Amino acid sequence: MPDRYDLPTGFRWGAATAAYQIEGAVTEDGRGPSVWDVFAARPGTVRDGHTGAVACDHYHRYPEDIALMKNLGLDGYRFSIAWPRVLPTGSGPVNPAGLAFYDRLVDALLDAGITPLPTLFHWDLPQALEDGGGWLNRDTAHHFADYAAIVTDRLGDRVPAWITLNEPFVHTVFGYALGTHAPGRTLMLEALPAAHHQLLAHGLAASVLHDRGLEVMLSNNLTPVEPATSSDADLAAAQAYDALHNRLFTDPVLLGRYPDLSALGVPDDLYGAIHPGDTDLIAAPGLDGLGLNFYNPTRIAAPTEPGLPFDFVDIPDVPHTAFGWPVVPDALRQLLLSLRDTYGKTLPPITITENGCSVTESTTPDQPRIDFMSAHLDALAAATAEGIDIRGYYTWSLLDNYEWAEGYHQRFGLIHVDFATQQRTPKASYTWYRDLIAAHKARHSK
Ligand code: IFM
């Protein structure tokens, strides 16, 4: 085992958030409605009926939040741009006030010495586009490329690297297959055209960004998949799940082809969504970095009932987060090594664009978060020692925020937010992370 947190010089320390989870101000300054505004307003969709209408009120309080980031010593801040703030109906007229907000945010970050790392799409599709079919409609991919051009024409002079999409797997499966996230469709595997159109959107936007001399990343939520037993049936189920969760969203970008989903009964053309030439459009621009969002491994068994060809099995005898997710830090190291095995030379440098855990509000100090981050940084140091090129770590999340269908119930922040008063209070993990960043910088400036 290498020294604790023995990460390279120039390693970028960051924190991450997303627009709908923190901004609030959903009807202000010309922002159009997003699928999440509409979904969360529907009774029974989100725990306790919570919405992102106010969230952390970051739209107004961003100077205070940037001061907290500066005090933390962050090199980088990952946030997302709300498409409906910039283009209230997704295409058509630009909302100057929306763009101006991100202009102010970027300048304030740069003034604080923090490099902005924006994500162009973190699930808040303009509702007007959803009304036209959302990600099931191929046109949405082209609208996304136009939106990427508008945003980067404004901010690209100051922001060198961009993330196109956040976790297209989660958005496809929760939003279009199971309906537990916006837009709440329940198409099961017939949701997969939404996956293809997001990947096409990524490819088209990546070309737009490269034409402007900008770097492009894609943030995927990847999970090492392990079979519950060594039986052939469990092994086959685990392979099918790995293809759906991981390879479907990474192979097209890095290898220029889709994985075989026949074990799931999915046709090769993803129900007619893939047109000739699409895989080139997705892969040809290339990727300057792979964003990896890592939370937990997944254990899979053969199905016990008809339906999908896999069952999820809990991983016993390990700690679980407040959300109930198993904590297995070494799975991150294993995942990184397996990415290298799978993609070889086509694997670009990796940035951890999310990693963190929810901790119950009453847990003071929030030692479980410190333990979680510490163990995952150990795993990163171990993977680095084994030759994996990892450029940075953005913890999820800077602030307690709106955790989608869980509303405000899952607290992932280094900073506690009292949602009644908007009071921010740094937690013990904030101080711990601040000291860790300072120690790393001191060691590497010698
Ligand atoms: O809050 C989410 C984030 O929006 C995407 N990645 C996972 C986080 C925790 O669930």
Side-chain angles (χ1 to χ4, degrees):
M1 203 64 177
D3 288 348
R4 267 214 142 175
Y5 320 129
D6 190 5
L7 292 157
T9 306
F11 190 82
R12 188 155 282 207
W13 298 99
T17 64
Y20 191 72
Q21 295 181 268
I22 64 164
E23 283 181 2
V26 292
T27 55
E28 233 165 290
D29 294 339
R31 178 187 178 279
S34 78
V35 291
W36 266 96
D37 298 294
V38 173
F39 178 79
R42 216 181 293 153
T45 53
V46 175
R47 202 166 150 195
D48 290 338
H50 291 168
T51 75
V54 178
C56 304
D57 194 30
H58 174 77
Y59 188 75
H60 299 112
R61 293 169 195 263
Y62 73 91
E64 179 184 352
D65 293 337
I66 291 175
L68 286 161
M69 293 179 215
K70 186 175 179 184
N71 182 54
L72 198 45
L74 293 188
D75 297 308
Y77 171 53
R78 175 180 178 227
F79 60 98
S80 79
I81 294 185
W83 186 346
R85 237 185 240 298
V86 175
L87 291 155
T89 56
S91 57
V94 173
N95 174 32
L99 267 180
F101 169 67
Y102 295 107
D103 211 54
R104 293 194 296 277
L105 181 67
V106 161
D107 283 345
L109 286 165
L110 293 172
D111 282 349
I114 299 167
T115 303
L117 178 59
T119 304
L120 286 164
F121 179 68
H122 197 125
W123 307 349
D124 45 0
L125 191 76
Q127 180 61 34
L129 291 184
E130 176 58 24
D131 294 340
W135 286 112
L136 297 168
N137 183 343
R138 190 178 171 88
D139 292 345
T140 300
H142 292 280
H143 293 314
F144 181 75
D146 294 343
Y147 154 65
I150 290 163
V151 174
T152 53
D153 278 346
R154 180 67 177 262
L155 303 177
D157 58 336
R158 285 154 289 158
V159 179
W162 294 75
I163 296 169
T164 51
L165 311 175
N166 181 69
E167 300 180 0
F169 167 80
V170 177
H171 190 54
T172 303
V173 169
F174 288 4
Y176 287 84
L178 303 174
T180 51
H181 278 189
R185 303 210 193 198
T186 51
L187 297 168
M188 300 308 283
L189 288 169
E190 288 181 28
L192 291 183
H196 177 65
H197 295 144
Q198 286 175 80
L199 288 164
L200 184 62
H202 159 81
L204 295 170
S207 290
V208 166
L209 269 59
H210 278 164
D211 287 349
R212 287 160 173 72
L214 304 170
E215 287 188 12
V216 180
M217 292 204 274
L218 166 69
S219 283
N220 276 342
N221 162 308
L222 300 179
T223 181
V225 180
E226 54 186 50
T229 72
S230 56
S231 75
D232 288 348
D234 285 355
L235 215 57
Q239 272 167 2
Y241 187 73
D242 180 50
L244 181 68
H245 188 129
N246 297 315
R247 300 200 64 145
L248 176 59
F249 296 91
T250 312
D251 284 13
V253 180
L254 296 182
L255 302 179
R257 59 170 185 263
Y258 274 95
D260 178 8
L261 297 179
S262 57
L264 299 164
V266 173
D268 285 350
D269 65 356
L270 294 189
Y271 304 98
I274 304 177
H275 294 188
D278 280 3
T279 45
D280 285 346
L281 290 173
I282 294 169
L287 212 54
D288 303 296
L290 179 64
L292 173 56
N293 295 358
F294 180 76
Y295 289 92
N296 53 261
T298 305
R299 189 170 287 184
I300 292 289
T304 46
E305 288 175 9
L308 286 174
F310 40 73
D311 274 358
F312 295 94
V313 181
D314 186 31
I315 301 178
D317 307 324
V318 298
H320 285 66
T321 71
F323 218 149
W325 299 349
V327 180
V328 189
D330 193 55
L332 173 57
R333 185 187 64 86
Q334 289 166 18
L335 172 65
L336 289 161
L337 297 182
S338 79
L339 285 171
R340 180 171 61 190
D341 288 348
T342 306
Y343 298 108
K345 286 195 169 50
T346 63
L347 183 68
I350 290 173
T351 295
I352 306 301
T353 43
E354 288 184 24
N355 176 246
C357 64
S358 67
V359 176
T360 315
E361 188 173 16
S362 58
T363 309
T364 310
D366 63 339
Q367 192 62 37
R369 188 181 334 275
I370 296 172
D371 294 344
F372 184 100
M373 290 172 65
S374 171
H376 285 82
L377 288 168
D378 276 338
L380 285 186
T384 301
E386 291 183 65
I388 309 287
D389 183 356
I390 306 161
R391 300 283 170 92
Y393 176 86
Y394 290 71
T395 191
W396 185 272
S397 182
L398 179 74
L399 303 165
D400 287 341
N401 61 46
Y402 182 74
E403 179 52 31
W404 309 113
E406 286 286 305
Y408 296 100
H409 291 290
Q410 302 294 343
R411 291 181 174 266
F412 280 86
L414 300 181
I415 299 168
H416 178 271
V417 177
D418 179 330
F419 292 105
T421 63
Q422 291 298 340
Q423 170 80 37
R424 275 89 162 126
T425 309
K427 302 180 190 176
S429 52
Y430 174 99
T431 310
W432 173 84
Y433 195 43
R434 185 196 64 197
D435 293 349
L436 181 163
I437 294 171
H440 181 267
K441 287 188 176 160
R443 197 159 61 237
H444 288 265
S445 65
K446 284 176 193 152

